Amino acid sequence: MSAVKQQDRLAVSDSPLDGRTEFPPVDRHALAEKFRRFLNPDSVLTDDETIRPYECDGLSMYCEMPQMVLLPETVEQVQQIMRLCHAEEVPVVARGAGTGLSAGAMPHAGGVVLSLAKFDRILSIDPAARSARLQPGVRNLAISEAAAKYGLYYGPDPSSQIACTIGGNVAENSGGVHCLKYGLTVHNLLSVEVVTAEGDRVTIGSDGYDSCGMDLLALVTGSEGLLGIVTEVQVKLLPKPEVAQVVMAGFDTVQRAGDAVAGIIGRGIIPGGLEMMDGFAIQAAEDFAHAGYPTDAQALLLCEVDGTREEVQDHIHQAEELFRELGATSVRTSGSEAERALLWKGRKSAFPAVGRISPDYYCMDGTIPRSQLAHVLTEMQKLSEQYGLRVANVFHAGDGNLHPLILFDANVPGEFERTEAFGGDILNLCVEVGGSITGEHGVGMEKIRQMPNQFGNLEVSQFHGIKQAFDTRGILNPGKGVPTLRQCQEYRAIGPLQTPTATGDGGASHG
């Protein structure tokens, strides 16, 4: 019997390992007083106006008000919070900078938000070992800024790196424009310190590049706050390359740009970054950043090569030659560090740039095989016409991580629902061509309805088994990441175009 058929045999009522959705009612006043016994009273927020900013993360169409927000200052306080919440069965949602784009940090109505905002210190940098110890609230960009004096930097660079935190990066396994060569967060970690649901303090990983036993570091990375609260992170640092240059190539079709992506990898060149934008995104980014993008192009590639001067010179020459052979309408190579930074500014500004030309937008996140780029973009254009909604495509072409931006107006009745259905179809398309419903934004609440399309009941039950091993009472970020088996049954029965809308006010999202 095939694996798929075995998965489908597991009935909803057969599994003892299923996600918890119900919790005892909370007496807000009594619970707050218990927290104030060991937290600064000003760090226990309970009035609605003060906690309103915590009702959502960067995906603001999914909103929920928590019972309260807690802002501890020490690991010991985090442990006490978890012990109390575990004893009283109170749901806990950990929160960093709130820049996530999958509603992974949306509060639970019957629980508390545990903010790590005050954990913002760089504890140490070891230039000899090329590593840094950090509290989870340290901003991604701040790591490279602090390491620069040693000629080092931190590799993963999400577009939100000026604001997003390393704790959130661990929770979502974030990537960035340079993840093709230097990897995602999981590839740049040495260890994490975690406070468990019961309040125990454990270290996963080690100072070395390998640890004894099972690879729990990889399991915790990307677990979206379902398995523990990250209180310290040790990351690898990289030496700054001698030279880095960007080749920008414009193409008159997406197909030719997709062929160029395959061509670069096929020649054995692993770029530091290989990004693609379609015509709509090119125009929006150029109007915003004035980077000199060819606005007449239908697709744009940014290919960065770094390394020694001789290596970069050789690879840049090969890239320019290949792009021209494959029909590039324009080819331009950065001649200075300032020009290289400007070309990347346009790409990293794409999200806010699109926000200037539409009242709202919905940023999707799916991953596909590189060979399917042109096909998937063609199909997305058909879906765009079907739903009557514009879409701008900005993505990590080198590793097939798509970021379609669906433009809509939340003030138009029914338009958000159409947008959500459009996004669901894009994720289903990713699965159909052999990809995944997420690359670096996580599942959260946003993609939980697509989980049954990618995973069978047996796999979902195994996910819940892992969750239960770490969190016996199911209090950590409940309802996110993995649907219950009953939800799987309901979502499969409803179908992708009739999915129920999210809780909250249906507000706008500007990522």
Side-chain angles (χ1 to χ4, degrees):
M1 183 176 290
S2 71
V4 172
K5 289 181 180 178
Q6 288 176 353
Q7 292 163 6
D8 291 343
R9 287 177 60 195
L10 185 65
V12 170
S13 59
D14 289 342
S15 176
L17 305 174
D18 207 356
R20 181 177 182 180
T21 57
E22 299 296 329
F23 294 87
V26 174
D27 182 331
R28 181 191 291 197
H29 177 74
L31 185 62
E33 287 306 307
K34 292 180 181 180
F35 286 126
R36 290 190 178 106
R37 292 173 188 169
F38 58 87
L39 292 174
N40 185 321
D42 292 337
S43 295
V44 182
L45 313 179
T46 57
D47 65 283
D48 287 349
E49 286 305 307
T50 305
I51 66 177
R52 179 73 65 182
Y54 295 88
E55 69 179 353
C56 66
D57 58 15
L59 188 59
S60 58
M61 70 253 304
Y62 291 77
C63 302
E64 189 69 81
M65 289 285 282
Q67 292 295 311
M68 65 193 71
V69 175
L70 309 175
L71 293 98
E73 299 179 23
T74 68
V75 178
E76 290 74 21
Q77 289 176 345
V78 174
Q79 290 181 272
Q80 288 178 285
I81 290 170
M82 293 312 306
R83 287 168 185 154
L84 179 56
C85 289
H86 184 263
E88 305 214 3
E89 298 184 78
V90 176
V92 179
V93 177
R95 179 186 174 94
T99 60
L101 291 169
S102 64
M106 186 185 79
H108 189 284
V112 303
V113 168
L114 197 167
S115 170
L116 282 304
K118 294 185 178 182
F119 287 72
D120 60 355
R121 291 189 298 118
I122 295 176
L123 301 174
S124 66
I125 294 178
D126 186 339
R130 293 180 182 173
S131 66
R133 288 176 54 245
L134 317 155
Q135 290 189 315
V138 173
R139 294 178 303 109
N140 177 287
L141 185 59
I143 305 171
S144 293
E145 291 173 340
K149 62 182 177 182
Y150 304 109
L152 303 171
Y153 75 105
Y154 179 62
D157 57 340
S159 294
S160 59
Q161 67 177 151
I162 193 172
C164 67
T165 60
I166 188 63
N169 291 171
V170 171
E172 304 299 333
N173 193 20
S174 303
V177 299
H178 291 93
C179 62
L180 173 61
K181 185 173 183 178
Y182 297 110
L184 302 166
T185 301
V186 68
H187 304 113
N188 291 272
L189 293 180
L190 289 171
S191 67
V192 295
E193 181 186 84
V194 175
V195 172
T196 68
E198 290 85 357
D200 295 326
R201 186 175 180 176
V202 298
T203 298
I204 299 172
S206 69
D207 292 344
Y209 284 118
D210 196 9
S211 300
C212 298
M214 298 171 61
D215 189 3
L216 296 181
L217 184 59
L219 180 64
V220 169
T221 307
S223 59
E224 304 187 40
L226 275 71
L227 306 182
I229 308 295
V230 174
T231 52
E232 187 178 308
V233 183
Q234 186 177 22
V235 301
K236 304 173 188 176
L237 298 176
L238 301 171
K240 285 187 176 180
E242 181 181 340
V243 179
Q245 284 184 281
V246 178
V247 180
M248 177 178 68
F251 294 86
D252 55 9
T253 68
V254 170
Q255 178 68 57
R256 287 179 174 169
D259 291 342
V261 170
I264 284 289
I265 304 299
R267 286 205 178 187
I269 299 173
I270 305 298
L274 185 56
E275 301 289 297
M276 185 189 290
M277 302 166 67
D278 68 8
F280 195 62
I282 294 168
Q283 184 65 62
E286 177 59 21
D287 290 345
F288 179 81
H290 306 293
Y293 289 174
T295 54
D296 58 339
Q298 293 304 304
L300 177 72
L301 283 184
L302 291 174
C303 176
E304 178 166 291
V305 179
D306 59 17
T308 65
R309 193 170 301 279
E310 293 78 10
E311 179 185 25
V312 170
Q313 186 176 12
D314 176 50
H315 285 174
I316 287 289
H317 175 71
Q318 289 189 54
E320 292 173 336
E321 185 179 72
L322 176 66
F323 292 157
R324 291 191 176 98
E325 287 176 2
L326 294 177
T329 54
S330 64
V331 177
R332 169 185 161 194
T333 300
S334 62
S336 67
E337 181 60 25
E339 187 177 8
R340 183 181 78 90
L342 181 59
L343 293 177
W344 280 122
K345 178 184 177 182
R347 162 60 184 90
K348 292 200 172 189
S349 299
F351 288 10
V354 170
R356 298 172 74 222
I357 61 175
S358 175
D360 309 287
Y361 69 77
Y362 190 11
C363 177
M364 302 304 299
D365 168 54
T367 303
I368 62 172
R370 283 191 296 262
S371 61
Q372 297 292 325
L373 277 174
H375 168 69
V376 169
L377 289 174
T378 299
E379 291 302 307
M380 275 200 286
Q381 183 55 42
K382 293 178 182 177
L383 289 170
S384 174
E385 295 169 1
Q386 173 186 326
Y387 282 100
L389 296 167
R390 297 175 296 169
V391 60
N393 285 290
V394 183
F395 53 93
H396 309 312
D399 60 355
N401 186 193
L402 309 177
H403 291 312
L405 305 174
I406 304 172
L407 279 59
F408 72 103
D409 186 346
N411 293 314
V412 177
E415 194 152 303
F416 167 64
E417 288 76 13
R418 291 208 325 275
T419 299
E420 195 175 30
F422 184 4
D425 279 355
I426 290 174
L427 298 179
N428 291 336
L429 176 61
C430 290
V431 174
E432 288 171 14
V433 300
S436 169
I437 62 172
T438 182
E440 57 177 341
H441 291 180
V443 175
M445 281 293 295
E446 176 205 23
K447 302 184 185 74
I448 202 164
R449 292 190 296 279
Q450 280 71 47
M451 284 288 284
N453 296 333
Q454 184 160 2
F455 300 105
N457 287 348
L458 189 57
E459 292 167 306
V460 171
S461 182
Q462 289 170 337
F463 290 150
H464 284 299
I466 294 171
K467 165 72 169 171
Q468 188 176 67
F470 280 79
D471 179 14
T472 55
R473 291 195 163 184
I475 62 171
L476 287 170
N477 213 6
K480 313 279 182 57
V482 186
T484 65
L485 292 174
R486 190 166 301 280
Q487 284 176 317
C488 289
Q489 185 182 55
E490 293 170 353
Y491 294 151
R492 289 173 184 139
I494 292 172
L497 299 183
Q498 304 173 49
T499 51
T501 58
T503 57
D505 60 5
S509 172
H510 293 287

